[in-house]
Amino acid sequence: MASPLAKCLCAAMLILTTLWASHVSARELSDMSMVERHEEWMAENGRVYKDAAEKARRFEIFKSNAQLVDSFNAGNHKYWLGTNKFADLTNDEFKATRTGFRTSKTTNTVKISKRFKYENVSAVPASMDWRTRGVVTPVKDQGQCGCCWAFSAVAAMEGITKLTTGKLISLSEQELVDCDVEGEDQGCEGGLMDDAFGFIISKGGLTTESNYPYRAMDGNCDAKKSASIAASIRGYEDVPANNEAALLTAVSQQPVSVAIDGGDYPFQLYSGGVFTGDCGTELDHAVTAIGYGTTSDGTKYWLLKNSWGTTWGENGYMRIERDVAAKEGTCGLAMEPSYPTA
């Protein structure tokens, strides 16, 4: 007959075995549900992998990102994340192809006016959304090409063209990617909006998207297509740096190109709400400020047009916190804003 001690040990072992089996079962169920979640995500995003090994690797990345999303969304934040089309990419992979802003290191060949023409504007609307005024073309997608700078510059130019001519024209980013070698502009390897504006001025304008369509890759400049001018600008100006009040004045008058620190996981997986960080001021991405407003709980925000397609963020747009304590603005968006002039 077993001793009482032996009986206790057996009982304890049985309990531990049961708990371990339960834990393993729960983990297997969790992994199975994640597999199903990945399969659904693949179907929704039309993702097909080249082989089983690649699929297994992408699944592990997806699982890690999905867990990050779930953990973040369980907290109390003003914005939320989602398993969007970038959910099977590491952050390094994402940054390598979806950003592309370069801080200026050279002097432009086209002189920039040092004035800020909106400095004497004293009254601005409480809110602004240039989309509602027909000044913004539909959201575009830069694909796997680091030319956010071209999309930001083009969106700002499309805006001023509409405001001055009454015509909303979708202009060509690919022309900038292929033909613009001003200063820091290096096609899919990155660039700077001011240099893009300088190139447009020196060339005499840009052609249309339909005439010189986007291909998401570097190419040789097509001189024949580039010769067909659809819109032009006369100059460009920088908004006074680190001054959200000045930026507000400018955005109240026209869409403005802004650079941001926008390459980290919170940006990659942003799904909606007013973005408050985490981010720094290492500027690596370019977007276009097309408005501003205040939420029902009093949170002030900027409205940004991005170039990552309509399935990212709020149908391709983002709201990001405005009027913050840091003079650089959230994610450094007040550091290097600029806009074209007609």
Side-chain angles (χ1 to χ4, degrees), residues 128-320:
M128 174 60 70
D129 183 344
W130 285 112
R131 294 175 300 184
T132 65
R133 306 194 180 199
V135 177
V136 182
T137 60
V139 168
K140 304 177 184 181
D141 191 342
Q142 70 187 75
Q144 297 185 40
C145 172
C147 63
C148 58
W149 59 275
F151 283 83
S152 174
V154 164
M157 184 174 169
E158 289 169 344
I160 195 63
T161 298
K162 167 64 176 179
L163 288 169
T164 54
T165 70
K167 298 177 181 179
L168 182 62
I169 306 170
S170 184
L171 299 172
S172 175
E173 293 85 11
Q174 192 67 45
E175 182 182 357
L176 288 175
V177 171
D178 290 353
C179 306
D180 178 13
V181 291
E182 276 293 327
E184 297 300 312
D185 295 348
Q186 301 294 323
C188 290
E189 298 303 312
L192 180 68
M193 291 80 80
D194 280 3
D195 286 342
F197 294 143
F199 166 80
I200 295 166
I201 295 164
S202 62
K203 176 184 171 294
L206 277 183
T207 192
T208 63
E209 185 85 56
S210 59
N211 182 54
Y212 204 143
Y214 186 63
R215 298 184 301 117
M217 63 177 67
D218 290 316
N220 295 320
C221 184
D222 189 321
K224 184 177 180 180
K225 291 180 178 179
S226 183
S228 176
I229 303 298
S232 62
I233 54 176
R234 293 185 178 180
Y236 64 97
E237 298 176 356
D238 287 337
V239 177
N242 302 323
N243 188 334
E244 282 199 271
L247 180 57
L248 183 74
T249 302
V251 177
S252 75
Q253 304 299 308
Q254 67 178 94
V256 174
S257 289
V258 297
I260 53 177
D261 182 351
D264 293 330
Y265 274 113
F267 251 83
Q268 177 180 340
L269 301 172
Y270 168 79
S271 184
V274 178
F275 186 87
T276 57
D278 295 323
C279 55
T281 56
E282 296 293 323
L283 305 179
D284 61 3
H285 187 48
V287 292
T288 313
I290 60 161
Y292 55 86
T294 307
T295 65
S296 58
D297 70 359
T299 303
K300 297 179 180 179
Y301 65 84
W302 296 105
L303 177 61
L304 306 179
K305 181 186 183 184
N306 203 351
S307 52
W308 294 341
T310 57
T311 60
W312 177 88
E314 296 180 330
N315 298 314
Y317 297 92
M318 176 186 224
R319 287 176 295 159
I320 188 168

Side-chain angles (χ1 to χ4, degrees), residues 22-41:
S22 175
H23 173 73
V24 170
S25 177
R27 184 173 179 178
E28 288 175 347
L29 285 172
S30 176
D31 284 346
M32 181 58 69
S33 64
M34 190 64 75
V35 168
E36 293 172 350
R37 187 169 168 183
H38 184 225
E39 292 288 346
E40 290 178 0
W41 176 88

Side-chain angles (χ1 to χ4, degrees), residues 317-329:
Y317 297 92
M318 176 186 224
R319 287 176 295 159
I320 188 168
E321 192 170 17
R322 173 171 63 91
D323 199 15
V324 298
K327 64 180 182 180
E328 299 87 356

Side-chain angles (χ1 to χ4, degrees), residues 5 155 273:
L5 178 59

